Amino acid sequence: MCIISSKFALKSRNDHQETYIRKANPSFGSSMLVRQHMDKVDRQNAFWHFHPELELVYVNKGQGKTHIGNHLSYFNNSQLILIGANLPHNGFADRLTANGSETTVQFKSDFLGDHFVNVPEMANVLALFTRAEKGIRFGIETKKIVGPKIDMLLELQGLKRVILFLEILDYLANTEDYILLNADGIAFETNPQDSEKIKIIYKYINANFQDHITLEEIADKVSMTVPAFCRYFKKTTGKTFTQMVNEYRIVHATKLLNESQMSIADICYECGFNNFSHFNKQFNEITGKSASQYRKEIRHIIQ
């Protein structure tokens, strides 16, 4: 099964997120479902979710925060990513510029059948699907070549659409122009009980990262003791709770550095830090550069 759709999504501070397994059902008589929405961004459509299908996402114009597994980052203008089966992720585009869109292709690894996917010629594609378990972001050159082809899928039907999609997968399987978003290998638990806990935790972080969040209050949200919560969160995400909150804050800071004219000091406090020196240290550790250097280079490092 393969599903193609074009959608807009936003994760904002006041969104009410839901985590669930999304079911993708193609229309009768077709292995692909094509959808395209050219409406304005609906701020209530952001949600933390996962599904058994892989997901190829091409944002041709837009801005937003990428949250896939334990990876957090900000993007501006466009991006091309491949998300593996059952890898939790959030909506992507905060807002779209003129004529911008987000085109999504959902498909199972065996959407053409077990026998086809196991032929020798598909070996590189299967390796691509394995890499996608960590989330893949493709580079600028690959995005320029593959992005328009993904949009072309919306205009094709039947075998022509399948052939073009296989060409896209073949190109992505053989390019070295990519990075793994969860390169440390940490994978989220995706059973219903753990999914519910992560939903509650991320929803609370998303709504309150600009304020001080104690371990006691967040542990209480999931009915756990502080030691049990710390062990659970570290095992599930590969990070401490403090690390995750600081990443939320720094990703929000990169967004403000790019989109606003606020001073760096004002951004520090707007993102929830109450100490400018600590903000600078965290920004440097997470991004590899100072906030002032980031702002100077922003046009070059965000494509």
Side-chain angles (χ1 to χ4, degrees), residues 30-240:
S30 174
S31 63
M32 297 183 182
L33 175 63
V34 180
R35 291 178 179 172
Q36 186 171 43
H37 303 286
M38 300 305 294
D39 302 323
K40 292 183 179 179
V41 177
D42 181 355
R43 290 177 175 268
Q44 299 302 317
N45 276 346
F47 46 86
W48 177 251
H49 66 286
F50 61 93
H51 38 71
E53 297 83 15
L54 291 89
E55 185 165 284
L56 181 62
V57 182
Y58 171 55
V59 180
N60 70 355
K61 288 184 181 179
Q63 300 164 323
K65 296 173 183 176
T66 300
H67 190 178
I68 300 173
N70 62 13
H71 170 85
L72 280 163
S73 63
Y74 171 79
F75 72 90
N76 183 14
N77 188 25
S78 64
Q79 70 168 354
L80 175 61
I81 56 178
L82 179 61
I83 304 167
N86 294 318
L87 178 59
H89 54 282
N90 212 319
F92 302 106
D94 273 357
R95 62 175 179 271
L96 299 172
T97 55
N99 301 318
S101 67
E102 176 185 310
T103 303
T104 301
V105 184
Q106 287 186 345
F107 61 99
K108 288 187 176 179
S109 59
D110 60 351
F111 73 100
L112 290 179
D114 292 335
H115 294 295
F116 184 84
V117 79
N118 287 317
V119 299
E121 290 81 1
M122 288 289 287
N124 287 344
V125 174
L126 285 179
L128 171 70
F129 294 165
T130 298
R131 291 195 296 274
E133 294 173 1
K134 298 181 179 181
I136 304 172
R137 173 179 285 147
F138 295 96
I140 299 171
E141 294 306 315
T142 298
K143 186 171 56 181
K144 288 179 180 178
I145 294 171
V146 174
K149 293 183 178 181
I150 293 175
D151 282 341
M152 284 176 59
L153 291 171
L154 293 161
E155 304 171 3
L156 300 177
Q157 299 291 333
L159 186 59
K160 290 183 179 179
R161 184 187 294 162
V162 173
I163 291 173
L164 178 57
F165 185 56
L166 288 175
E167 289 179 3
I168 290 170
L169 290 179
D170 182 62
Y171 189 94
L172 297 179
N174 290 285
T175 184
E176 296 182 358
D177 182 28
Y178 69 87
I179 60 170
L180 298 180
L181 300 181
N182 294 274
D184 56 10
I186 296 297
F188 277 79
E189 298 290 342
T190 52
N191 63 65
Q193 183 179 1
D194 283 321
S195 176
E196 179 65 20
K197 287 181 181 179
I198 290 296
K199 176 195 74 174
I200 294 171
I201 293 167
Y202 280 162
K203 178 180 178 180
Y204 196 79
I205 296 175
N206 192 52
N208 298 281
F209 70 87
Q210 290 165 296
D211 302 315
H212 178 61
I213 306 174
T214 67
L215 285 172
E216 288 76 13
E217 65 182 292
I218 190 62
D220 183 65
K221 292 294 179 181
V222 288
S223 302
M224 300 176 75
T225 65
V226 169
F229 170 81
C230 291
R231 289 192 298 271
Y232 167 78
F233 194 82
K234 178 71 173 180
K235 177 183 177 181
T236 305
T237 70
K239 300 178 182 180
T240 67

